[in-house]
Amino acid sequence: MTVKTFPQVRKATFGAADISKEREWLLQHDREYVGEWVVLGEGHLIGHTVDSNEVAALVDKARAQGIHLPYVKFVSDRPEPVWMGWL
């Protein structure tokens, strides 16, 4: 019989992330980047790409600029579903 093991979970040392600036940026600019990955930091665009393989390089770029937790999002042309808790 095989036993499933789960990855070790560690608590972040830098506390909770405040993504309010990133959410505000997305509300204002997301339509400009439909179909692309965007990497944000402190409410500013670090970079964008259609190639998911390039996202890691953009995250590295953000970290090189001193951003500890870059915000990464794929901007879809479809609105995300709303889940209300019943089926």
Side-chain angles (χ1 to χ4, degrees):
M1 181 164 100
T2 60
V3 176
K4 287 188 176 184
T5 59
F6 295 96
Q8 180 182 6
V9 177
R10 296 174 290 152
K11 186 174 181 177
T13 58
F14 41 78
D18 177 12
I19 60 169
S20 59
K21 293 178 184 176
E22 286 77 7
R23 293 177 78 187
E24 183 64 34
W25 187 94
L26 285 167
L27 286 172
Q28 294 176 9
H29 302 282
D30 66 342
R31 296 293 99 200
E32 301 168 36
Y33 299 96
V34 170
E36 296 188 51
W37 291 92
V38 295
V39 177
L40 307 171
E42 300 174 6
H44 302 288
L45 179 67
I46 304 301
H48 58 97
T49 181
V50 295
D51 186 358
S52 61
N53 294 320
E54 296 176 6
V55 174
L58 293 174
V59 169
D60 290 341
K61 178 181 175 183
R63 289 188 176 142
Q65 294 178 10
I67 298 167
H68 297 290
L69 283 174
Y71 184 86
V72 178
K73 179 166 177 60
F74 179 77
V75 181
S76 176
D77 61 345
R78 291 182 278 164
E80 295 183 20
V82 176
W83 295 94
M84 301 303 268
W86 64 85
L87 297 174

